Amino acid sequence: MSADHDRMEDAVAAYALDACDDEERELVRAHIVACPSCRALARRLSLAVDALPLATEEVRPPERLRARILAAAASTPQAPAGGPPAPRIVPLPRETARRRRPRIPAYWAAVAALILGLVALGAWNVTLNQRLSGELARYPVVGTGTMAGASGTVVASPQQAVMSLSGMPELPAGKVYEVWLIDAAGRPTAAGTFRPTADGTARVGIDHSLSNVSTLAVTQEDGPGGASAPTQKPELAVQIG
Amino acid sequence: MDCVFQSVAIRVMDGDSDLELAEALAAGEVDALARLYDRYGPLAYSVSVRILGDPGKAEDVVQDSFLKLWHSAARFDSHRGSLRTWVITAVRNRSIDYLRGRSAHERQEREIPMETEAHGAGSDPWREVAASIERDVIKEALGSLPPEQRQAVELAYFGGYGHREIAEMIGVPLSTVKGRMRLALEKLHSYLLGRGFLHER
């Protein structure tokens, strides 16, 4: 059956691009169900295909298109649902805002440990941040200790930033991840909490400029609101300034 | 000393908001369709214009596609892909179907001059930042491919050609076309993974 497997494996890329013959498509689809390595291959390649639309030149649709779609939808109510119901999820806290200053001893210790940790990693190198096109900057997210399997990127514009994370360990019950913006003097400001999705990923928008931020860090804290100061040494951090 | 930051808020993006939007669509909330269009309509339109080379036809295709999505929202399955993929796949498929309806001699790859414009003011600023980066990354990735690999992917994805047609059009064996597709997509994947845009090990 190995020749058959090779033939199927060779067709996975075309399958991901929807460039197979009808019969071949069904054979590959059936094969993927049974073959873990081809399934992993199909998933990788499909993720690449899913990004191809962004390679198009941006063309703005005419204003009337939006109105036409909404008018047509409003006048044609939903057909009775024939498929399975959409899965329910637990809503995550959308935003938290903090103003209180953290108590000094706990966070100084945490931040000092963080800074030492980053120096040890060799991450104290501002050339790690890379200028992208325009005014966007990109910073790698570094995980250590229990977060060593986590990674990601922070992309910052002058006024905002986006942090994409993967490999986030599952949270114990009652805990959340909390984001900290730490200035050059080592003072952290709580910036909100989040929980990763089931596959260990998270994407977080940060509604603040990072220009006065020296380090961005993530710790596990008690949910749902998090803490006012880090209660543990951060094991996930981004060197910004 | 005063706190450096007055108030900072973070917003969780993607993931669950895809599901919430899909649920709202399935529940028949037209407002959810408006949000879906604002979020992915311009991208969908750009893809359809690229495939069809005809902005007027693209408008029709996008309208038909969004209405079809509206009626099938209960079948959205987040395990099979993101909401963005769901929308773009529908628009791409419909565009290719329309393209195949054209006569054979017209079905060629063409250079299409287009004006480039920024997204409208109604867009979510978070998505704009992230999408703008992803756009740069994918263009860089495609630009780094050997031309024959890029060609195989573009003919398939934007031209709607099957691998046999591509092999005939460019005069190479079918296995060569399949190999080029695989190499190109593996490279794109590794580019995206390396820049933090993919969520997997």
Side-chain angles (χ1 to χ4, degrees), chain A residues 24 68 78 133 203 205, chain B residues 11 14 25 63 135-136 163:
Chain A
E24 192 180 28
R68 281 167 56 186
Q78 301 287 50
S133 59
R203 287 181 99 187
Chain B
R11 215 188 305 182
D14 290 349
L25 284 168
Q63 180 176 340
R135 198 177 272 276
D136 285 346
H163 52 19

Side-chain angles (χ1 to χ4, degrees), chain A residues 94-98 181 190-192 204-208, chain B residues 7-11 126:
Chain A
R94 288 250 154 218
E95 297 182 339
T96 60
R98 298 265 163 199
L181 305 183
V204 168
I206 298 167
D207 188 9
H208 201 282
Chain B
S7 81
V8 186
I10 62 172
R11 215 188 305 182
W126 310 116

Side-chain angles (χ1 to χ4, degrees), chain A residues 147-231:
Chain A
M147 302 290 283
S151 64
T153 308
V154 169
V155 179
S157 71
Q159 300 306 324
Q160 309 143 322
V162 172
M163 178 165 60
S164 305
L165 297 167
S166 63
M168 299 292 283
E170 200 179 317
L171 285 163
K175 293 284 193 182
V176 292
Y177 285 116
E178 188 159 7
V179 179
W180 306 96
L181 305 183
I182 302 170
D183 68 7
R187 289 169 304 196
T189 298
T193 63
F194 67 96
R195 290 191 184 91
T197 58
D199 62 357
T201 65
R203 287 181 99 187
V204 168
I206 298 167
D207 188 9
H208 201 282
S209 163
L210 296 187
S211 57
N212 293 321
V213 174
S214 176
T215 308
L216 189 157
V218 175
T219 59
Q220 278 191 18
E221 305 295 346
D222 286 336
S228 56
T231 62

Side-chain angles (χ1 to χ4, degrees), chain A residues 19 21 24 44 56 58-60 64 66 68 78 84 87 94 133 136 183 189 191 201 203 205 207, chain B residues 4-5 8-11 13-14 23 25 38 46 59 63 70 74 117 133 135-136 163-164 178 186 199:
Chain A
D21 311 329
E24 192 180 28
R44 273 203 309 282
T56 54
E58 295 175 73
V59 188
R60 191 169 172 178
R64 61 174 175 263
R66 186 183 193 272
R68 281 167 56 186
Q78 301 287 50
R94 288 250 154 218
S133 59
L136 297 165
D183 68 7
T189 298
T201 65
R203 287 181 99 187
D207 188 9
Chain B
V4 178
F5 305 111
V8 186
I10 62 172
R11 215 188 305 182
M13 302 164 50
D14 290 349
E23 285 184 351
L25 284 168
D38 289 338
S46 300
E59 209 177 320
Q63 180 176 340
W70 168 243
E117 287 182 350
I133 307 307
R135 198 177 272 276
D136 285 346
H163 52 19
R164 279 179 215 285
K178 289 178 175 178
E186 288 275 29
H199 302 142

Side-chain angles (χ1 to χ4, degrees), chain A residues 7 9-14 16-21 24 29 40-41 43-66 68-70 72-74 76-79 81-102 132-133 136 138 152-153 155-157 160-162 164-166 177 179 181-183 187-195 197 199 201-209 212-213, chain B residues 1-17 19-20 22-23 25-30 33-35 37-38 41-43 45-47 49-50 58-60 62-63 66-67 70-82 84-85 88-89 92-93 100 114-121 125-126 129-139 142 152-153 156-158 161-164 166 178-179 181-182 185-186 188-189 192 194-201:
Chain A
R7 191 168 68 92
E9 192 185 34
D10 287 344
V12 171
L17 284 163
D18 191 24
C20 281
D21 311 329
E24 192 180 28
R29 194 198 307 268
L41 174 63
R43 179 171 151 72
R44 273 203 309 282
L45 303 189
S46 295
L47 287 169
V49 171
D50 288 350
L52 287 175
L54 290 168
T56 54
E57 291 300 317
E58 295 175 73
V59 188
R60 191 169 172 178
E63 295 296 325
R64 61 174 175 263
L65 179 54
R66 186 183 193 272
R68 281 167 56 186
I69 288 171
L70 298 180
T76 58
Q78 301 287 50
R88 283 243 137 234
I89 49 110
V90 177
L92 299 177
R94 288 250 154 218
E95 297 182 339
T96 60
R98 298 265 163 199
R99 289 172 202 261
R100 296 195 308 277
R101 263 191 63 219
L132 298 176
S133 59
L136 297 165
R138 184 172 65 220
T153 308
V155 179
S157 71
Q160 309 143 322
V162 172
S164 305
L165 297 167
S166 63
Y177 285 116
V179 179
L181 305 183
I182 302 170
D183 68 7
R187 289 169 304 196
T189 298
T193 63
F194 67 96
R195 290 191 184 91
T197 58
D199 62 357
T201 65
R203 287 181 99 187
V204 168
I206 298 167
D207 188 9
H208 201 282
S209 163
N212 293 321
V213 174
Chain B
M1 271 187 269
D2 290 332
C3 189
V4 178
F5 305 111
Q6 292 304 311
S7 81
V8 186
I10 62 172
R11 215 188 305 182
V12 181
M13 302 164 50
D14 290 349
D16 59 319
S17 75
L19 276 179
E20 285 178 352
E23 285 184 351
L25 284 168
E29 295 174 23
V30 179
L33 185 63
R35 292 203 301 280
Y37 179 83
D38 289 338
L43 180 64
Y45 181 74
S46 300
V47 169
V49 171
R50 166 82 187 260
E59 209 177 320
D60 290 341
V62 170
Q63 180 176 340
F66 268 80
L67 282 166
W70 168 243
H71 289 294
S72 64
R75 290 198 287 279
F76 171 67
D77 180 356
S78 64
H79 294 104
R80 296 182 57 186
S82 70
R84 185 180 88 187
T85 298
I88 298 303
T89 301
R92 176 185 172 265
N93 286 348
R100 287 209 183 108
M114 286 187 227
E115 282 182 285
T116 312
E117 287 182 350
H119 286 302
W126 310 116
V129 171
S132 164
I133 307 307
E134 201 176 349
R135 198 177 272 276
D136 285 346
V137 169
I138 199 74
K139 281 178 174 164
L142 278 171
V153 165
Y157 191 79
F158 295 110
Y161 296 110
H163 52 19
R164 279 179 215 285
I166 295 172
K178 289 178 175 178
M181 287 176 170
R182 175 164 178 181
L185 293 180
E186 288 275 29
L188 291 182
H189 175 267
L192 292 166
R195 282 154 183 76
F197 278 101
L198 293 181
H199 302 142
E200 63 175 10
R201 303 133 255 104

